[in-house]
Amino acid sequence: MKKTPYLLLSGILFASAAMARDSSTPVYPPFGVDLTAFDKTTKPGDDFFQYANGSYLARTDIPADRPIASRRYEMTDRTDQQLKALLESASNGVGEQPVDLTGKVGAFYASFMDEATVNRLGVSAIDPEISAIKGASDLPALARLMGQGVQDFYPSPFGMFIDTDLKKPDAYAIGIGESGLGLPDRDYYLEASFAPQRDAYRAYAEHLLTLLNWPDPAGNATRILQFETALAQGSWTKVEERNPDIQYNPVSKAGLQALAPQFPWQAYLEGASTADRDRFIATTNSAFPKLAATVSATPLDTLKAWMAFRTADAAAPYLSAPFDNARFDFRQKTLQGQAEQAPRWKRAKTAVGGDDCGANPASCFGTLDWAVGKLYAERYFPAPTKAAITELVGNIKAAFRNRLQHLEWMGAATKKEALKKLDTYTIKVGYPDKWRDYSGVVIRRDDLVGNVRRAAAADWAFLLNRSKGPVDKSDWLMTPQTNDAYNGSLRDIVFPAGILQAPIFDPKADPAINYGAVGAVIGHELTHGFDDQGRKIDASGALRDWWTKADAAEFQRRAAILGAQYAQFEPVPGVHINPDLTMGENIADLGGLTMALDAYHASLHGRPAPVLDGLTGDQRVFLGWAQAWAGKAKPEAIRQATISDPHSFRKYRVNGVVRNIDPWYSAFGVKPGDKLYIAPAKRARIW
Ligand SMILES: [Zn+2]
């Protein structure tokens, strides 16, 4: 059950204040900076993040039901309250099996909120899946169910997804990658420091198998962990997975069989309804033979226990309390340090409308996310907001064009290609022009698991059917209610309505703050199209490296300067930032804030920037960026993010960036001897 776009170059991954507001003033009055958030006992040059946010961080507690507290979460909270109102009114008095869009959304929400029915059904809600697993008599029969995992709860060592074809950008391709691990990353299986998490995972498997009345839960749980450990040994690392070049490996059906002959591909493809296709992209191809060998060497009974456990794990949020609680205890509490379950309405909202799909594709499985998005955009993203952000986007693009033209280290040939590519970029804001059709999906007020299953099947059918035609350039990979943004393979940059709110963007705020916050984020996304990964896609959207060797070498040299700075940061004791994993995002942050400052200056048309409450224009641009990232997390969450997230932790997205931008030094009087000070000759200068 995966829906992973393979060239989501750059989900910004903001984990993301609910407050009543007067519609004529900014959310943070009087001009958009939270003046009560500063820590004036800290020098800006020692820790700019703390200076801009210290009082806010001191007065903010991390809530029990999540691992992080942040401004971004406050934005999500605001959206959640809006969605709650919308979903409650849609479910109020809804019929048993409605046919209109609002009714379907309301009935789905009601089916999740009806805890009594969910608890009464218990494990019987997934009888069809568990019986099918039990009844499978050989590996091909199990592989068929693994293939069905694209539209049902079954796990699979190979995950399938559909995205644009990197070398034929007008067509879609079906990708196949690895997806068998139940822990967050292969490191969790292979490194000694994760032994406690492995023990907890083994206990979780035993618990779910016990709830399923599966034979020998303890013995099977041990064998399941051994099986997944073998899969982990054969898997690629996160750093390898970031490279689209080595992932573009087209194969025919026969080619798949030749690549990894120990896996019954025909049955798997039949399960995924793709046996009639003859072209696939095997992303982590060198792992395939190892994964196939592991599967075929594992006794059928162990594979069945694994599939039953992982099916129950995937379905647990929609099952009775014992399943739901077990999953929470392991996945949220043990792995992420979250003390309490989110309230049921919030989980119902995620089940119907999806949540944070870029970061966690599983949470957008089997939803009516685009239907919820349509209702949300209609109600909460007015036309003047769309007009204001569209203008700002244009100014950032112009600032980047100017920077590219004047870059001292980039040769003329590369510049020409870069400018050509920049002109092909479209920036989409708010919501898509076209909406998904849900008229064929049956939604019942009394059948939660059935709703999830049917929504997932409709989603896969939609993607499969669309994949036969030309690429839909108007497509969006994130729903309007999402608090995130991305730079996609359609050479588009997409900012959903959910991220276009304070402190990222507030149409009522002073422009300097908007440039520093959303302007820098837009710039961040734009640079991704031109950096060490983006340079592999040309202006036509095809996978082709358009940089000269000399320019590539110079970029690497400059990037290494930034990488060496980030490698010094230690977010939790003993865990340093991995400069290779975070390189692309760190460069994008630096480029984004640099061009936001340029665009703000250009927007003044030669007039001096106003001084507001003693703060200059440049100061407000930097504060806009620093306050947009305000937040803190539990150590477990920082640790997990530092190991697996290509974005540096929020404090370093501020401190690691500003110290490389000259105007920051003059804006805040930063001097040699200050902790963040870097001599001018040693600052990283890329975009
Ligand atoms: Zn990014």
Side-chain angles (χ1 to χ4, degrees):
M1 47 171 290
K2 281 274 148 139
K3 193 165 111 185
T4 312
Y6 66 120
L7 201 71
L8 196 67
L9 281 174
S10 61
I12 298 183
L13 198 71
F14 302 111
S16 43
M19 56 198 76
R21 65 180 290 213
D22 168 351
S23 64
S24 65
T25 57
V27 170
Y28 301 102
F31 52 87
V33 164
D34 183 350
L35 298 169
T36 71
F38 294 87
D39 167 11
K40 298 224 167 137
T41 67
T42 297
K43 270 164 73 179
D46 281 345
D47 184 344
F48 189 60
F49 179 79
Q50 173 69 17
Y51 166 77
N53 300 307
S55 297
Y56 164 79
L57 296 172
R59 70 179 182 235
T60 303
D61 293 320
I62 300 174
D65 66 351
R66 55 171 62 147
I68 296 177
S70 70
R71 297 284 192 194
R72 301 300 309 266
Y73 265 119
E74 291 169 9
M75 290 163 60
T76 298
D77 285 345
R78 199 182 297 140
T79 301
D80 280 353
Q81 289 301 328
Q82 293 165 334
L83 290 171
K84 181 175 186 237
L86 194 157
L87 291 164
E88 281 175 353
S89 80
S91 67
N92 213 341
V94 71
E96 217 164 272
Q97 192 177 311
V99 293
D100 65 301
L101 194 72
T102 305
K104 287 182 183 185
V105 165
F108 200 142
Y109 183 76
S111 72
F112 196 104
M113 293 304 290
D114 183 0
E115 242 178 306
T117 299
V118 167
N119 282 327
R120 182 174 50 76
L121 289 172
V123 68
S124 74
I126 53 167
D127 267 352
E129 286 87 356
I130 299 301
S131 304
I133 293 167
K134 278 187 181 151
S137 55
D138 53 19
L139 183 55
L142 278 186
R144 191 166 285 109
L145 299 179
M146 291 170 184
Q148 279 178 37
V150 294
Q151 53 172 323
D152 207 322
F153 301 106
Y154 302 112
S156 171
F158 299 102
M160 187 181 282
F161 56 91
I162 299 175
D163 201 348
T164 52
D165 188 313
L166 285 176
K167 288 197 177 164
K168 289 197 265 172
D170 294 325
Y172 289 103
I174 298 180
I176 302 178
E178 52 198 40
S179 81
L181 306 184
L183 284 165
D185 184 71
R186 71 196 286 278
D187 289 354
Y188 280 73
Y189 296 88
L190 306 178
E191 290 190 4
S193 60
F194 288 108
Q197 284 85 350
R198 285 193 290 275
D199 285 345
Y201 186 51
R202 201 209 52 74
Y204 173 55
E206 181 179 344
H207 188 171
L208 287 195
L209 290 173
T210 305
L211 291 173
L212 289 171
N213 287 316
W214 200 268
D216 188 16
N220 271 312
T222 299
R223 290 186 286 274
I224 285 169
L225 184 60
Q226 284 164 352
F227 170 64
E228 290 194 7
T229 302
L231 293 180
Q233 279 158 345
S235 301
W236 283 16
T237 64
K238 289 268 181 206
V239 172
E240 288 169 323
E241 282 179 16
R242 268 198 78 228
N243 186 343
D245 251 353
I246 56 174
Q247 294 197 53
Y248 190 83
N249 309 300
V251 285
S252 64
K253 221 161 88 172
L256 272 176
Q257 198 61 48
L259 173 66
Q262 286 160 299
F263 190 72
W265 289 100
Q266 175 65 23
Y268 170 81
L269 297 177
E270 281 168 10
S273 312
T274 50
D276 58 334
R277 308 296 180 94
D278 199 29
R279 188 171 186 278
F280 303 91
I281 309 293
T283 58
T284 57
N285 62 344
S286 63
F288 282 31
K290 298 173 206 164
L291 303 181
T294 298
V295 171
S296 83
T298 302
L300 205 63
D301 279 346
T302 301
L303 289 177
K304 286 185 177 189
W306 175 69
M307 290 196 69
F309 155 57
R310 291 285 302 279
T311 294
D313 172 38
Y318 318 102
L319 298 178
S320 53
F323 286 91
D324 188 30
N325 293 338
R327 182 181 159 98
F328 169 78
D329 281 343
F330 175 68
R331 297 218 171 267
Q332 270 76 44
K333 203 182 218 166
T334 304
L335 288 186
Q336 305 210 42
Q338 183 181 327
E340 282 173 27
Q341 276 266 45
R344 193 154 186 98
W345 70 262
K346 211 177 254 189
R347 289 180 280 138
K349 178 217 69 173
T350 299
V352 190
D355 197 8
D356 206 5
C357 307
N360 181 12
S363 72
C364 292
F365 173 83
T367 69
L368 298 180
D369 50 356
W370 293 102
V372 173
K374 181 167 190 283
L375 303 178
Y376 171 77
E378 283 169 1
R379 207 184 279 195
Y380 297 111
F381 198 72
T385 304
K386 185 153 177 158
I389 187 68
T390 302
E391 185 189 333
L392 192 148
V393 160
N395 293 344
I396 294 287
K397 215 171 151 181
F400 191 37
R401 172 165 256 287
N402 192 46
R403 283 237 152 224
L404 281 174
Q405 279 168 332
H406 295 101
L407 268 191
E408 53 180 42
W409 59 268
M410 188 182 269
T414 305
K415 264 186 198 173
K416 198 177 148 203
E417 289 280 341
L419 290 166
K420 198 164 125 196
K421 184 171 179 184
L422 181 63
D423 290 337
T424 69
Y425 259 92
T426 52
I427 300 182
K428 301 170 181 169
V429 290
Y431 49 85
D433 299 331
K434 275 190 313 205
W435 294 103
R436 186 78 64 89
D437 175 14
Y438 287 102
S439 57
V441 188
V442 172
I443 299 296
R444 292 191 53 88
R445 198 183 56 198
D446 60 357
D447 183 15
L448 173 59
V449 167
N451 291 339
V452 174
R453 231 185 248 130
R454 289 185 293 269
D459 206 37
W460 186 246
F462 167 82
L463 293 172
L464 267 186
N465 183 50
R466 190 179 66 170
S467 72
K468 293 171 183 161
V471 163
D472 176 5
K473 295 241 161 48
S474 71
D475 192 32
W476 283 49
L477 295 176
M478 279 180 188
T479 55
Q481 64 272 33
T482 306
N483 181 8
D484 207 339
Y486 72 92
N487 179 335
S489 52
L490 298 174
R491 277 154 297 130
D492 54 349
I493 296 179
V494 182
F495 285 86
I499 196 176
L500 295 173
Q501 54 176 311
I504 292 295
F505 175 67
D506 185 341
K508 306 283 192 298
D510 167 60
I513 297 149
N514 281 330
Y515 276 96
V518 78
V521 170
I522 294 165
H524 168 117
E525 292 301 329
L526 264 179
T527 68
H528 275 313
F530 303 83
D531 64 15
D532 60 328
Q533 301 303 319
R535 75 172 200 238
K536 294 167 182 166
I537 312 273
D538 71 11
S540 77
L543 190 62
R544 172 180 77 83
D545 193 338
W546 43 273
W547 282 30
T548 63
K549 280 216 164 65
D551 288 333
E554 182 58 17
F555 180 86
Q556 293 302 344
R557 192 188 69 77
R558 288 166 180 259
I561 295 171
L562 192 66
Q565 294 172 14
Y566 275 83
Q568 301 295 316
F569 292 132
E570 191 177 0
V572 283
V575 183
H576 283 255
I577 288 184
N578 176 345
D580 296 325
L581 176 65
T582 58
M583 183 66 83
E585 299 304 326
N586 298 335
I587 292 172
D589 282 344
L590 177 55
L593 188 55
T594 304
M595 77 185 72
L597 196 64
D598 282 359
Y600 173 63
H601 291 159
S603 77
L604 294 169
H605 299 290
R607 293 186 306 268
V611 174
L612 302 177
D613 205 54
L615 296 170
T616 67
D618 280 13
Q619 286 179 328
R620 295 195 302 279
V621 171
F622 289 112
L623 288 167
W625 175 252
Q627 290 203 339
W629 291 108
K632 59 187 188 183
K634 293 174 181 156
E636 298 90 333
I638 301 180
R639 184 184 165 81
Q640 186 180 331
T642 305
I643 290 166
S644 60
D645 186 344
H647 306 80
S648 298
F649 194 66
R650 49 193 59 240
K651 175 176 171 174
Y652 309 99
R653 296 189 74 163
V654 174
N655 288 348
V657 167
V658 293
R659 64 201 301 227
N660 287 293
I661 302 179
D662 299 341
W664 175 71
Y665 287 81
S666 44
F668 291 96
V670 180
K671 299 268 179 322
D674 291 349
K675 288 185 184 132
L676 293 174
Y677 179 85
I678 300 176
K682 295 191 168 163
R683 291 173 199 161
R685 301 173 198 276
I686 301 169
W687 296 115

